[in-house]
Amino acid sequence: MKLMRSFFQTAYTAFASGFTYRANTALGVLERLVRISVPLFVWSALYGASGETVINGRTLGEMMIYVLISQTCTALVSADFASTIENRMRTGIIEYNFIRPIPPRMIFVGEGFGQSLYALLLTGIPAAVLAAVLIPQIGFSLSPVYLLLFITSLVLGYVVSTVFELLKGMFAFWFVNVYILNWFMDLFYVLLSGAFVPLWFYPDWLRAIAAVLPFQAAYYLPVEIFLGIRDIPGCFSALGVQLFWIVVLWILQEILWRKSVYKLTVLGG
Amino acid sequence: MIHCQNLTKNYRTVAGKGPFSFGRQKDSESFLAVDRISFHIASGEMIGYIGPNGAGKSTTIKMMCGILTPTSGELTVNGLVPYKNRQKNARQIGVIFGQKSQLWWDLPITSSLKLYQKMYEIPDDVYHERYMQLCDMLELDEFADRPVRTLSLGQRMRGELAAAVLHRPPVLILDEPTIGMDVVVKERIRTFLKELNSAYGTTILLTTHDMTDIEKVCARAIMINKGKKLFDGTLEALRQNSQSDSRVTVRLEKAVPPWLEARLRGLEKPKAGTYIFRLSHTDEENRLLSEVLQNNRVLDMYIAEPTLEEQVAHYLGEGEAR
Ligand SMILES: Nc1ncnc2c1ncn2[C@@H]1O[C@H](COP(=O)(O)OP(=O)(O)OP(=O)(O)O)[C@@H](O)[C@H]1O
Ligand SMILES: [Mg+2]
């Protein structure tokens, strides 16, 4: 309970920190409006040019919903606290995270949560506006059961990405410069998470690779659930996959964390 | 309050070792940064922890915070072993690393303070009372609602102090809190530390390269060099032990005869007729000095006591020679 209060205050502080530069916040919203609109136009153009109403089993309406919801979800998992950790390792400020009455990782995750909420707000506003305009035309409805499954899956997806980010952050304890690693991870992420191009457009072999990697569990699965692509058992197996990754990544992260703390405290950083 | 017994820290720098090289020990170098240091600091004491660059001061402090695990020896802070109870220990210590910040860069000081209020579970009314008090003592008002990044170094440091003592820790550990501060801010920090100590009996361990800080705040100093403890005692004792010389500047009517000049150790002649004698603690030299003055007329005379800084330097010099 008391830990939760510290956690939320940490998140709140990071969230508030986002609003430092008002012009930045305004620009952020604008930038995201473009970021969501561009794929919307691209898909419309593609569908228009092909003359088909259904491509790879998906209608243009479904594609548009996909863009809206996937962009919103991406915002939620966009916190990059691995580089925050890296930065603090380099400057030694990390020491202050180790002299608090709450665990250091809780501070990292709390800050990440605040950043995510801020990004969600930035993206959420234009996404909601676009949705309000588009949904009535497309005609889309979500049953309460699917909504509930979607929310559960979204939360699990958030946990997957957070644990993954922690894992990345641990590397900062060893390599100090995680820039290259970040770059690689982002590449994988773009390619294999389904964040930019839905996985249903991929050839089978690439989809098979994506399926055995954790990236899609972070948020592609929630999007699939939202779109109603999966039946109910399919939804539960998606949740199972997410849980599986949470456990696996957590164990890896825990092992690395212990070695990292050992390095910091015993070997001396 | 703080107790060390043969406290030792041996850094092991392991070149290019990744997280997956399990157990293999390859070209690891070790560096003995703190070497069997023992001391005891009672509750309410204000200690100056001094020594030249690289002496091992920060290393000792990090061990007290639980950030570093001692290689051997014992260390307890208020009865707790810091590295084993890092979070519990965190509640009873306030820490400042002068070169680093614990304040949120883009937010006003108050945002960081509110965050630490929640972390240290300080009830709202207590928080407000303490905040008002700290505002008073450190004069935070004038900049409390400005983002930290816009503050001057001195203003920021006052904010850091507020953040470090908000949970009213019984032990306050300061690693170079006055670095880069002007005289006015330094003086305010010193006053603040003394007030804190007299009002709440806060035990204070202060590391600084400014001996005036030590003179004005601390009654006792612990001096280390190259990881070893050289001195532990009152400032008076440090002064007496160091046997550093006072300097007597004298303007004389006649020149000092060469044979006498030759026998005077460390005589300086900045300009004609002006001599700087070192007034040491040996009878022989003091007798020579009186001889110089007897056959001459003193036009002007000025005695400079050695500063603590000189005494410490002298002490360290002797330590090297030993
Ligand atoms: N992580 C580390 N790995 C290896 N050696 C280290 C490490 N940190 C410090 N040292 C070495 O240990 C010695 C003591 O360092 P420390 O920072 O404790 O000195 P200090 O007394 O605080 O000096 P200063 O007055 O310059 O701050 C130095 O020689 C330093 O190079
Ligand atoms: Mg230091």
Side-chain angles (χ1 to χ4, degrees):
Chain A
M1 189 55 221
K2 61 184 188 194
L3 280 183
M4 275 339 254
R5 229 175 285 149
S6 305
F7 177 83
F8 284 118
Q9 189 70 28
T10 308
Y12 172 76
T13 310
F15 180 70
S17 185
F19 291 97
T20 311
Y21 307 94
R22 266 186 217 137
N24 262 14
T25 306
L27 270 179
V29 173
L30 213 65
E31 185 249 331
R32 277 145 222 253
L33 181 66
V34 174
R35 210 195 278 182
I36 302 171
S37 304
V38 167
L40 284 179
F41 286 124
V42 169
W43 290 118
S44 308
L46 277 175
Y47 273 80
S50 74
E52 314 253 351
T53 49
V54 176
I55 300 177
N56 272 30
R58 306 292 155 212
T59 65
L60 177 59
E62 280 177 311
M63 275 318 298
M64 288 187 155
I65 301 282
Y66 165 82
V67 170
L68 286 180
I69 200 74
S70 76
Q71 288 297 330
T72 311
C73 295
T74 318
L76 191 61
V77 302
S78 65
D80 179 14
F81 55 85
S83 27
T84 310
I85 297 177
E86 176 200 328
N87 216 351
R88 289 187 191 159
M89 272 307 281
R90 204 173 34 226
T91 53
I93 288 180
I94 196 130
E95 284 159 8
Y96 275 124
N97 293 137
F98 279 79
I99 51 154
R100 300 292 172 214
I102 69 172
R105 279 179 295 179
M106 193 159 207
I107 298 176
F108 303 148
V109 173
E111 289 171 6
F113 187 52
Q115 285 172 18
S116 289
L117 289 182
Y118 177 72
L120 186 63
L121 191 81
L122 288 192
T123 309
I125 293 171
V129 171
L130 285 170
V133 177
L134 289 173
I135 300 272
Q137 297 173 26
I138 302 163
F140 178 85
S141 68
L142 192 64
S143 75
V145 180
Y146 269 86
L147 183 65
L148 202 69
L149 285 169
F150 166 67
I151 291 173
T152 313
S153 176
L154 193 60
V155 170
L156 290 182
Y158 180 72
V159 177
V160 171
S161 79
T162 295
V163 179
F164 193 76
E165 199 64 30
L166 266 183
L167 188 60
K168 247 166 56 183
M170 300 301 104
F171 280 90
F173 282 74
W174 298 87
F175 303 115
V176 179
N177 197 338
V178 292
Y179 175 78
I180 298 291
L181 183 77
N182 250 337
W183 188 82
F184 252 107
M185 289 297 175
D186 286 348
L187 190 70
F188 273 122
Y189 199 83
V190 169
L191 207 63
L192 297 173
S193 69
F196 299 90
V197 177
L199 294 180
W200 61 70
F201 280 110
Y202 280 18
D204 287 342
W205 64 271
L206 200 54
R207 216 154 22 154
I209 294 177
V212 296
L213 290 174
F215 303 101
Q216 58 146 16
Y219 91 117
Y220 179 66
L221 295 179
V223 175
E224 268 198 0
I225 292 175
F226 188 87
L227 292 177
I229 290 170
R230 289 168 175 263
D231 53 10
I232 297 285
C235 290
F236 278 105
S237 78
L239 297 184
V241 169
Q242 290 184 304
L243 277 175
F244 168 80
W245 279 115
I246 290 172
V247 172
V248 170
L249 292 174
W250 182 265
I251 291 171
L252 282 175
Q253 173 277 138
E254 186 67 33
I255 294 169
L256 263 190
W257 172 250
R258 291 192 182 174
K259 283 183 83 76
S260 302
V261 171
Y262 178 84
K263 180 167 186 284
L264 186 74
T265 62
V266 179
L267 303 181
Chain B
M1 206 61 168
I2 303 178
H3 183 77
C4 306
Q5 188 74 46
N6 289 325
L7 185 64
T8 300
K9 180 68 202 179
N10 208 344
Y11 283 114
R12 274 190 285 150
T13 35
V14 192
K17 224 182 139 189
F20 301 117
S21 43
F22 290 90
R24 272 179 291 135
Q25 288 296 326
K26 51 175 183 187
D27 44 350
S28 74
E29 275 175 36
S30 73
F31 184 87
L32 196 56
V34 171
D35 188 7
R36 286 163 293 160
I37 285 182
S38 305
F39 55 75
H40 181 83
I41 297 173
S43 177
E45 271 196 283
M46 301 212 265
I47 304 288
Y49 196 56
I50 53 181
N53 289 128
K57 304 181 296 295
S58 298
T59 305
T60 319
I61 283 177
K62 284 179 197 170
M63 287 193 275
M64 290 174 182
C65 299
I67 301 169
L68 277 180
T69 307
T71 307
S72 65
E74 280 168 39
L75 167 65
T76 57
V77 175
N78 204 8
L80 287 178
V81 178
Y83 80 94
K84 283 186 187 157
N85 308 276
R86 211 183 304 125
Q87 284 168 39
K88 223 168 158 190
N89 188 45
R91 288 184 183 281
Q92 55 175 22
I93 59 171
V95 184
I96 285 192
F97 298 113
Q99 326 243 33
K100 301 162 193 170
S101 180
Q102 55 187 318
L103 301 171
W104 279 72
W105 201 239
D106 286 327
L107 295 173
I109 284 171
T110 42
S111 299
S112 300
L113 292 181
K114 284 203 181 102
L115 173 59
Y116 296 133
Q117 178 205 345
K118 291 288 187 304
M119 280 195 189
Y120 292 94
E121 299 169 69
I122 303 167
D124 282 342
D125 49 341
V126 178
Y127 169 79
H128 285 298
E129 193 191 305
R130 280 187 201 167
Y131 177 71
M132 295 313 283
Q133 198 182 3
L134 287 169
C135 256
D136 237 33
M137 291 164 90
L138 294 164
E139 290 170 56
L140 303 176
D141 275 332
E142 37 179 309
F143 54 84
D145 50 2
R146 269 167 40 198
V148 170
R149 75 190 133 81
T150 69
L151 302 183
S152 77
L153 196 57
Q155 291 171 329
R156 206 202 77 206
M157 188 50 70
R158 277 139 72 191
E160 303 279 350
L161 277 168
V165 302
L166 189 67
H167 56 293
R168 200 158 287 170
V171 180
L172 183 58
I173 298 171
L174 308 131
D175 194 352
E176 303 193 33
T178 54
I179 192 162
M181 305 290 131
D182 69 26
V183 190
V184 180
V185 175
K186 275 184 180 175
E187 199 51 45
R188 200 195 308 257
I189 293 177
R190 293 168 193 150
T191 314
F192 176 72
L193 295 179
K194 283 189 280 191
E195 282 175 358
L196 209 63
N197 172 268
S198 67
Y200 311 112
T202 310
T203 308
I204 293 175
L205 186 98
L206 171 66
T207 286
T208 172
H209 289 290
D210 181 348
M211 289 307 137
T212 319
D213 289 345
I214 305 288
E215 267 175 315
K216 296 212 169 165
V217 177
C218 307
R220 176 180 158 201
I222 296 173
M223 194 197 299
I224 65 168
N225 190 17
K226 296 185 178 160
K228 291 201 173 60
K229 189 171 92 171
L230 289 188
F231 175 85
D232 180 356
T234 61
L235 292 191
E236 311 295 274
L238 179 60
R239 289 220 156 91
Q240 277 162 19
N241 272 357
S242 83
Q243 307 243 314
S244 192
D245 311 334
S246 301
R247 281 211 190 82
V248 187
T249 310
V250 192
R251 208 145 59 81
L252 298 173
E253 206 173 40
K254 290 182 289 181
V256 176
W259 66 269
L260 242 175
E261 227 179 70
R263 291 180 61 187
L264 282 162
R265 180 185 57 99
L267 179 75
E268 289 169 58
K269 286 191 287 187
K271 54 181 183 257
T274 305
Y275 297 86
I276 300 175
F277 300 102
R278 289 176 170 275
L279 197 58
S280 71
H281 304 264
T282 58
D283 288 344
E284 163 71 4
E285 281 177 342
N286 293 348
R287 198 182 52 76
L288 283 173
L289 184 61
S290 62
E291 209 164 302
V292 169
L293 299 179
Q294 254 168 25
N295 304 316
N296 217 322
R297 206 161 74 86
V298 178
L299 300 177
D300 199 359
M301 182 151 140
Y302 168 70
I303 303 182
E305 290 274 306
T307 61
L308 184 61
E309 190 142 350
E310 283 169 336
Q311 287 166 328
V312 166
H314 189 90
Y315 201 96
L316 287 170
E318 275 185 359
E320 301 274 279
R322 248 179 257 151

